[in-house]
């Protein structure tokens, strides 16, 4: 992510254009059409050859590091993304199809609530198969608690995050106890100060809504504490 989507990278610029539309909602029709028009201008300014080369390099990196099965991951709003992609790259479409695409995007931008329309097509068996593939892929590269965290995060959109909240409530409690056991009198002051910062970070999660940043931070705290335990042993 840092290599291909950091500030100044062409894929970051393209992603920002997609996000500006995908995350917009409840817009008036005239503003929606103006936003679509201006977004298309920004999209066309990007060097498509450079975009293609970066996409190719990213795909190769994913294939080598994670495996081709990664591209089988379920994307709940894939139809909306596909429609937007077609809107941006509609130069080969006739006038009628271009207008139909624009109207479809206008309707999307005027929606009042986020609705994952594709969720109804995913049943429990498909979820279980996906999580099984995930666990097999990362069997030897992730800690057990990290796999459990990511598995819960992956399927969190199916139950409004309820399972993830339950898991994190227990896991954050476990991590707090683990950090507390490392904070002892007479130990390295700098190390103890860092542990206290980690403890404060864990305490702060009770004051904010659950989000992907918390999941990411917990993931790294799990790794940190596991590494400390390995060093002690």
């Amino acid at each position: 992510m840092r290599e291909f989507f950091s500030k100044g990278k062409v894929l970051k610029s393209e992603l920002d254009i997609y996000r500006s539309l995908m995350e917009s909602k409840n817009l008036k029709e005239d503003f929606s059409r103006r936003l679509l028009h201006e977004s298309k201008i920004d999209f066309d300014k990007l060097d498509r050859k450079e975009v293609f080369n970066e996409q190719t390099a990213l795909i190769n990196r994913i294939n080598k590091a994670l495996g081709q099965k990664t591209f089988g991951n379920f994307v709940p709003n894939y139809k909306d993304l596909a429609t937007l992609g077609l809107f941006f790259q509609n130069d080969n479409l006739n006038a009628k199809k271009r207008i139909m695409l624009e109207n479809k995007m206008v309707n999307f931008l005027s929606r009042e609530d986020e609705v994952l329309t594709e969720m109804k097509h995913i049943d429990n068996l498909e979820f279980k198969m996906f999580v099984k593939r995930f666990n097999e892929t990362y069997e030897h590269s992730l800690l057990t608690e990290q796999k459990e965290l990511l598995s819960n995060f992956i399927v969190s959109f199916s139950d409004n995050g309820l399972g993830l909240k339950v898991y994190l409530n227990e896991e954050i409690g476990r991590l707090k106890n683990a950090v507390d056991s490392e904070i002892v009198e007479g130990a390295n002051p700098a190390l103890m100060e860092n542990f206290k910062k980690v403890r404060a970070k864990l305490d702060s999660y009770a004051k904010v809504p659950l989000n992907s940043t918390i999941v990411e931070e917990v993931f790294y705290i799990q790794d940190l504490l596991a590494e400390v335990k390995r060093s002690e042993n």
Side-chain angles (χ1 to χ4, degrees):
M1 292 296 292
R2 286 194 297 267
E3 180 177 351
F4 290 94
F5 293 96
S6 59
K7 186 176 181 180
K9 297 289 187 178
V10 67
L11 292 187
K12 174 65 164 58
S13 298
E14 185 180 54
L15 177 62
D16 287 343
I17 295 172
Y18 271 82
R19 277 180 170 170
S20 70
L21 293 174
M22 295 301 296
E23 296 176 1
S24 297
K25 60 180 180 178
N26 202 23
L27 302 182
K28 300 297 183 182
E29 180 179 346
D30 56 344
F31 184 82
S32 295
R33 294 189 186 280
R34 179 65 184 276
L35 179 60
L36 288 168
H37 175 72
E38 295 297 327
S39 297
K40 182 68 163 63
I41 292 176
D42 290 340
F43 184 87
D44 289 340
K45 287 180 180 178
L46 299 177
D47 186 331
R48 300 316 306 170
K49 183 177 181 180
E50 183 181 1
V51 170
F52 176 80
N53 290 338
E54 287 294 289
Q55 288 174 338
T56 301
L58 175 58
I59 291 170
N60 287 335
R61 179 66 60 84
I62 291 174
N63 283 335
K64 292 178 180 177
L66 304 178
Q68 293 184 357
K69 290 182 178 180
T70 304
F71 295 102
N73 291 355
F74 172 63
V75 179
N77 60 339
Y78 73 93
K79 282 192 174 181
D80 295 329
L81 287 167
T83 300
L84 180 54
L86 190 57
F87 169 79
F88 280 139
Q89 304 181 65
N90 62 9
D91 296 337
N92 294 325
L93 299 179
N94 59 41
K96 182 178 179 180
K97 289 184 178 180
R98 291 199 302 271
I99 293 173
M100 289 175 64
L101 267 176
E102 181 176 316
N103 287 337
K104 192 170 184 178
M105 285 306 306
V106 168
N107 290 334
F108 174 78
L109 294 173
S110 65
R111 73 200 187 286
E112 294 183 357
D113 298 304
E114 295 287 349
V115 179
L116 299 180
T117 56
E118 297 305 314
M119 277 307 304
K120 61 185 180 181
H121 299 299
I122 304 301
D123 58 26
N124 289 332
L125 178 60
E126 288 174 292
F127 270 124
K128 289 178 181 178
M129 290 177 64
F130 173 75
V131 174
K132 182 176 181 293
R133 291 198 303 270
F134 172 86
N135 286 330
E136 288 174 348
T137 300
Y138 295 103
E139 180 179 3
H140 303 295
S141 59
L142 294 179
L143 301 168
T144 299
E145 55 266 36
Q146 289 177 319
K147 288 192 291 183
E148 291 177 356
L149 171 63
L150 294 181
S151 294
N152 278 282
F153 179 61
I154 288 166
V155 300
S156 61
F157 54 80
S158 68
D159 62 356
N160 293 320
L162 180 60
L164 179 61
K165 290 175 184 177
V166 172
Y167 171 79
L168 278 176
N169 183 57
E170 296 179 355
E171 179 62 5
I172 289 174
R174 184 189 73 83
L175 293 173
K176 287 180 180 179
N177 291 333
V179 172
D180 288 343
S181 68
E182 298 295 336
I183 302 177
V184 294
E185 294 294 333
N188 183 299
L191 185 60
M192 291 306 99
E193 183 62 28
N194 287 332
F195 276 124
K196 289 178 181 178
K197 290 179 180 179
V198 172
R199 186 61 163 81
K201 173 62 71 173
L202 291 168
D203 287 335
S204 71
Y205 296 147
K207 304 174 184 178
V208 295
L210 178 60
N211 54 54
S212 59
T213 299
I214 292 178
V215 174
E216 181 180 358
E217 290 175 350
V218 169
F219 180 90
Y220 287 113
I221 292 174
Q222 289 173 328
D223 194 57
L224 168 67
L225 291 174
E227 182 61 33
V228 170
K229 185 63 64 177
R230 284 193 291 269
S231 298
E232 292 176 347
N233 294 335

